[in-house]
Amino acid sequence: MGLTLKVLSNRLYLNNGTADPFNNALGTDITTDKHDTTAIAPGDMDGDGDMDIVAANYLVAFRLYLNDGVPDAAKTVSRSGTKLNGPYLCQSRGVSLEVDADAENIELVGFEASITLPPNTRVDFWLSNNGGARWYLARPGRAFTFPTTGADLRWKAELHSLSPALTPRVEQVELFNIIPGDMNIDSFVDMEDLLLTLQIMTGKGSGRKASLQNEVYDDGKISAQEALFIMQKISGDS
């Protein structure tokens, strides 16, 4: 494929498979649109198995050209593209309410999401710890650290697609405040956490379990390191 000069229609050029691949290639118009196109991206945008095209144009909106799968032997293509507002159509947005009304000093959070992505779609997730006053782009499956502490944890999702016929889906989102040393997940680091840690270390926990998501050194274990960290937190040394 190639691009023509300004204000001419975009054309399709077939590679002849030789060392001079476009020798005598005259090209065929793929549309009657005439724009100053600076880039094109081929791909199956609507999931029907046919190659479609997105054209990036100078000073005007991008355009999507859907392949209908019907050969045009007479070379009489006269279709016009679909206007896009940008590289992706932002089809919808969703914003959560406050995630944990009791949480304070939110700085480190865990973030997981289950999503379904049809071809040429994506979901952008944003997190806020100040009620939406400022949002930060975040990636599911990893912890996120805010630059400052806050007390109002929220998330939002932006659903994008190159095709008006396809949309991604957000199935489930899990967002939780991580407080290192808060082994019983009550939003505080105190003697209860130290007692629970010592009980588990000595095998006297009577079935009690501590939260591995809040263990300190990310090694998947509750050990003397956690106990030392909690004692330092309680005494104000850390």
Side-chain angles (χ1 to χ4, degrees):
M1 292 184 175
L3 301 176
T4 58
L5 297 176
K6 186 175 181 179
V7 302
L8 296 178
S9 297
N10 288 319
R11 298 174 68 82
L12 171 66
Y13 297 91
L14 297 179
N15 186 329
N16 61 25
T18 69
D20 190 4
F22 296 104
N23 183 39
N24 295 324
L26 299 179
T28 303
D29 289 350
I30 63 171
T31 175
T32 54
D33 287 342
K34 290 179 171 59
H35 300 296
D36 184 6
T37 300
T38 58
I40 57 173
D44 182 10
M45 307 304 175
D46 54 2
D48 65 355
D50 298 319
M51 188 69 70
D52 309 305
I53 290 176
V54 173
N57 302 310
Y58 179 63
L59 296 181
V60 296
F62 290 14
R63 298 191 75 81
L64 168 64
Y65 300 95
L66 294 177
N67 184 343
D68 58 14
V70 178
D72 186 12
K75 306 296 188 294
T76 58
V77 174
S78 61
R79 67 177 59 90
S80 189
T82 301
K83 179 180 177 181
L84 300 180
N85 294 323
Y88 281 81
L89 290 169
C90 184
Q91 295 184 321
S92 61
R93 295 181 176 89
V95 182
S96 76
L97 299 176
E98 186 174 4
V99 172
D100 185 353
D102 297 324
E104 298 180 356
N105 300 318
I106 302 169
E107 183 176 6
L108 176 65
V109 296
F111 180 40
E112 303 286 345
S114 175
I115 60 178
T116 299
L117 294 176
N120 302 295
T121 64
R122 81 166 194 265
V123 177
D124 289 336
F125 285 101
W126 302 78
L127 303 181
S128 173
N129 66 345
N130 54 19
R134 187 170 183 180
W135 294 95
Y136 300 90
L137 187 64
R139 186 175 299 176
R142 61 182 62 181
F144 180 84
T145 303
F146 291 100
T148 57
T149 59
D152 188 343
L153 184 60
R154 299 171 186 248
W155 64 269
K156 70 177 180 179
E158 294 182 348
L159 280 60
H160 302 263
S161 176
L162 278 173
S163 169
L166 298 173
T167 182
R169 295 191 302 273
V170 178
E171 313 289 354
Q172 183 177 359
V173 172
E174 184 179 5
L175 180 62
F176 46 89
N177 189 23
I178 295 177
I179 303 176
D182 179 23
M183 310 313 294
N184 60 0
I185 320 180
D186 63 355
S187 299
F188 300 97
V189 179
D190 52 23
M191 289 298 297
E192 283 290 326
D193 300 299
L194 179 59
L195 178 62
L196 175 57
T197 300
L198 293 175
Q199 288 175 334
I200 292 174
M201 288 172 52
T202 58
K204 299 179 180 179
S206 301
R208 298 184 69 188
K209 294 183 179 180
S211 170
L212 287 178
Q213 73 188 30
N214 291 345
E215 59 98 359
V216 177
Y217 294 98
D218 197 26
D219 57 4
K221 299 184 295 184
I222 305 299
S223 65
Q225 292 177 312
E226 275 70 34
L228 178 60
F229 177 87
I230 293 170
M231 286 189 290
Q232 291 174 336
K233 292 286 289 185
I234 295 172
S235 65
D237 292 339
S238 63

